[in-house]
Amino acid sequence: MKVLQCNGASQKSWFELLSTHGTSQLTRAGPNERRCIVRQALGFYRTLVVGGIYTLDNPHKDVSLEYTLIKALKHCVAIHPILSACIIGEDTETPEFARPALLDLNKHIDLIGTRQSPDILDEKDLIKLTLAQVNNHVFTNCNKIPPWKIVVLPLCRGERPQTDRYLILFGYYHSHGDGKSGLAFHKTFLAGLKQAQHRHCVYDGDSECATPRTPLLPTLETSGELPVSWGYLLSPLLGAYLPSFIASPLGIRASATPEADNQWVGHDTFFDHDKYSTGLEIISVEYEDVEKVLRDCREHNLKLTGLLHQIIVQALSKELPFEKAGSFVSQTAVDLRSHLNGITDDDMALCPTAYYELFMRTAEESSNPTLISVKDNFWNAARTTTQNLAKCANTLSDQPVGLLGYLRKMYPWTRGQIGKRRECSYELSNIMSFNPGFFKPEVGWNVESMIFSQPANVSSGCLTFNVVSKYQGDLTIVISWQLGALGVQNEQVFAANLGRFMAKSLRSFGGL
């Protein structure tokens, strides 16, 4: 990947380099953005995807799809300043965001083929294949072209012959936003599609787009202080510098995560650029079943994320032998937007921290192991996790993301994660519900369902559960992993079994 080299250049020469390449300097990346940029540049984490199945009723045959998409994207670029930001110096410890004078939106649109015949490939398999390809995508020329794109795949019309259906995936580098940023993009994109239908739309169909002058939103670290106490900092700080024969007997680790000797973590971290690939399994739960799940959650005073952890632990306990998996350490993405100045749910920004919890393996207490246990310990455990997640989300103090400010050299630290034991068993990321606001559902463009998927994460947990739903619609869970990382005989069968257990468990709720 060709980038500008800093190599200790003066501030003046740095700006001269920006000017030479037709870009204007915006701001330096914050610690969390630097973390993402480093692992992207190394290839350890590639393209984050939030997508949806869009529908268009009674399409006008004289209006091209490309023309409509360009208009909608111009609206997105005008609303979200990060979409016009490229990355300068991504192979240095001081990367910056910069803005080119012009965007060619054709470079941010991939139109895939024509509608597939059901006889060629099942729709779910087609979506899974496309999703994995986007997750594995590597953006190039990030110093000139902002690293994001939409991928548009026509789908079969199904039962409504007058309605076109499209899978539209928004793929972007994590440095440009978190999972909720994907929802913010699609809310803006849907509004842009609806604007494009009107004769007096303010945007034209020219693919070349002048970039806005709007400044970038503040970084996580500048929009809210992330104080770290000495007690929280001491263990990972000393663990990083003390020899292991001193640190281990004192219980000091270079990590803020819990640990157990018998926890399942899959294979040690590994990386081969040419063999990097994301495995996927997709689960869908219909709205009627989602309503029952949420009702039971309310009755037991807990949230869906807390409940999902218990289902995941039961599924893993069922699929993995005791000698391999006596316990599991989870990582949950936690959004900090509510504590940040100048950043809302409708903004594209990078605002997550992480909550870690150690779960013991669950015993099979039911004669039917394909269904969840409904005993009190299940609800109590889910309630405890809900309460702990709420505590994590309600403070900016002593957050794992706050420790990044003490890490000066991210490249050697990130490379140093390869070959080590993974710190967690799995990650759960629930970006909640996509609510586009009020639109007349019978007019023009609408969204049928949503999907969210993370790429293989080389330096973190080997398994990720990505959750999203549409407001008053279906719930979708994508299980993703780095191929070869799970340490099981057949990873696809293993993931499919996890998915079946989770789907059947979620469908079993209702007055439990």
Side-chain angles (χ1 to χ4, degrees):
M1 190 177 295
K2 185 179 179 182
V3 297
L4 293 176
Q5 300 289 334
C6 180
N7 294 331
S10 68
Q11 191 72 8
K12 181 179 178 181
S13 63
W14 184 251
F15 290 142
E16 286 173 350
L17 285 172
L18 292 173
S19 177
T20 300
H21 283 74
T23 60
S24 57
Q25 186 258 4
L26 293 172
T27 184
R28 283 198 171 185
N32 203 17
E33 293 162 334
R34 284 174 55 214
R35 173 184 68 93
C36 293
I37 290 170
V38 167
R39 64 180 185 173
Q40 290 160 189
L42 292 173
F44 291 2
Y45 186 100
R46 298 189 180 174
T47 301
L48 185 64
V49 179
V50 178
I53 294 180
Y54 281 70
T55 59
L56 174 60
D57 296 321
N58 300 310
H60 296 289
K61 301 303 181 184
D62 56 340
V63 178
S64 73
L65 177 62
E66 294 91 336
Y67 190 79
T68 302
L69 294 173
I70 286 171
K71 285 184 173 184
L73 287 181
K74 285 187 174 182
H75 180 60
C76 294
V77 169
I79 297 297
H80 300 295
I82 193 66
L83 291 177
S84 56
C86 54
I87 305 169
I88 303 296
E90 66 177 342
D91 64 345
T92 75
E93 296 289 351
T94 56
E96 299 198 16
F97 291 114
R99 179 173 284 154
L102 295 172
L103 293 181
D104 181 357
L105 293 176
N106 280 330
K107 296 180 179 179
H108 297 275
I109 300 174
D110 279 355
L111 295 177
I112 301 180
T114 57
R115 288 178 179 81
Q116 300 290 322
S117 165
D119 298 332
I120 298 175
L121 203 59
D122 175 79
E123 181 170 290
K124 180 180 175 181
D125 291 334
L126 189 60
I127 291 172
K128 189 189 300 185
L129 177 63
T130 307
L131 194 59
Q133 289 174 345
V134 181
N135 277 145
N136 293 332
H137 178 73
V138 176
F139 288 101
T140 58
N141 298 316
C142 295
N143 60 319
K144 299 177 183 178
I145 305 172
W148 63 269
K149 68 176 180 176
I150 61 168
V151 177
V152 182
L153 173 70
L155 299 173
C156 292
R157 292 187 174 89
E159 298 177 356
R160 300 167 63 188
Q162 299 304 313
T163 300
D164 284 347
R165 296 171 70 243
Y166 300 94
L167 174 69
I168 301 182
L169 303 178
F170 173 51
Y172 55 108
Y173 268 171
H174 213 329
S175 57
H176 280 52
D178 51 22
K180 277 197 171 181
S181 298
L183 295 185
F185 171 88
H186 279 282
K187 185 174 181 178
T188 309
F189 183 66
L190 178 59
L193 289 172
K194 288 182 176 291
Q195 284 189 46
Q197 294 177 285
H198 297 301
R199 191 184 345 175
H200 302 296
C201 177
V202 297
Y203 306 106
D204 61 34
D206 185 351
S207 66
E208 199 168 77
C209 171
T211 55
R213 296 184 178 181
T214 314
L216 293 186
L217 294 174
T219 66
L220 170 63
E221 296 79 11
T222 57
S223 58
E225 293 184 5
L226 295 168
V228 175
S229 66
W230 275 108
Y232 187 73
L233 174 64
L234 196 59
S235 180
L237 185 63
L238 291 179
Y241 291 101
L242 288 178
S244 60
F245 69 87
I246 296 177
S248 296
L250 296 176
I252 295 173
R253 302 171 56 234
S255 172
T257 64
E259 183 183 46
D261 291 336
N262 62 354
Q263 74 188 64
W264 176 73
V265 290
H267 281 311
D268 291 346
T269 57
F270 64 93
F271 179 66
D272 183 327
H273 187 278
D274 296 330
K275 295 181 180 179
Y276 173 103
S277 191
T278 304
L280 294 175
E281 185 61 37
I282 301 175
I283 308 157
S284 182
V285 182
E286 294 182 353
Y287 173 58
E288 292 76 11
D289 293 316
V290 175
E291 279 192 302
K292 295 175 185 176
V293 172
L294 295 178
R295 184 169 62 244
D296 274 345
C297 285
R298 288 191 295 269
E299 289 177 359
H300 290 86
N301 195 28
L302 55 92
K303 299 291 186 180
L304 176 63
T305 302
L307 180 140
L308 287 173
H309 275 295
Q310 288 305 302
I311 295 176
I312 291 169
V313 169
Q314 289 201 353
L316 290 171
S317 299
K318 177 179 177 291
E319 291 301 315
L320 294 166
F322 179 81
E323 58 272 16
K324 268 190 167 186
S327 63
F328 308 94
V329 172
S330 67
Q331 173 185 311
T332 310
V334 176
D335 181 44
L336 295 176
R337 274 174 169 77
S338 62
H339 300 288
L340 304 178
N341 297 318
I343 300 176
T344 72
D345 284 347
D346 290 332
D347 291 319
M348 286 191 63
L350 188 63
C351 306
T353 188
Y355 165 74
Y356 297 90
E357 186 168 351
L358 174 65
F359 295 106
M360 301 311 296
R361 179 187 181 89
T362 59
E364 291 185 3
E365 299 170 345
S366 171
S367 58
N368 185 352
T370 63
L371 297 179
I372 61 169
S373 167
V374 294
K375 293 190 175 182
D376 288 343
N377 58 355
F378 175 88
W379 298 112
N380 290 338
R383 192 178 302 113
T384 297
T385 298
T386 297
Q387 293 167 352
N388 291 338
L389 284 169
K391 290 178 184 177
C392 178
N394 285 331
T395 182
L396 293 179
S397 301
D398 287 347
Q399 292 287 2
V401 70
L403 296 173
L404 292 172
Y406 296 88
L407 187 60
R408 301 304 178 194
K409 300 293 185 180
M410 287 199 181
Y411 265 99
W413 182 83
T414 305
R415 289 190 185 100
Q417 303 309 302
I418 302 302
K420 291 185 177 180
R421 185 173 186 259
R422 299 175 191 270
E423 290 185 339
C424 64
S425 308
Y426 68 90
E427 177 188 340
L428 173 59
S429 185
N430 180 6
I431 61 173
M432 313 298 280
S433 176
F434 174 66
N435 185 353
F438 177 75
F439 290 116
K440 292 182 179 179
E442 72 279 3
V443 177
W445 287 93
N446 293 286
V447 175
E448 186 179 291
S449 61
M450 297 297 294
I451 195 165
F452 164 45
S453 180
Q454 294 190 67
N457 193 342
V458 169
S459 57
S460 186
C462 59
L463 198 60
T464 306
F465 297 85
N466 311 285
V467 185
V468 68
S469 64
K470 178 180 175 290
Y471 177 67
Q472 296 185 341
D474 295 351
L475 176 79
T476 305
I477 302 174
V478 173
I479 304 174
S480 61
W481 69 95
Q482 181 187 5
L483 291 184
L486 302 185
V488 298
Q489 187 170 5
N490 189 318
E491 292 181 333
Q492 197 64 55
V493 170
F494 174 76
N497 289 342
L498 294 179
R500 276 191 292 270
F501 182 96
M502 294 181 69
K504 194 164 186 178
S505 296
L506 290 167
R507 291 165 187 152
S508 71
F509 281 84
L512 295 180

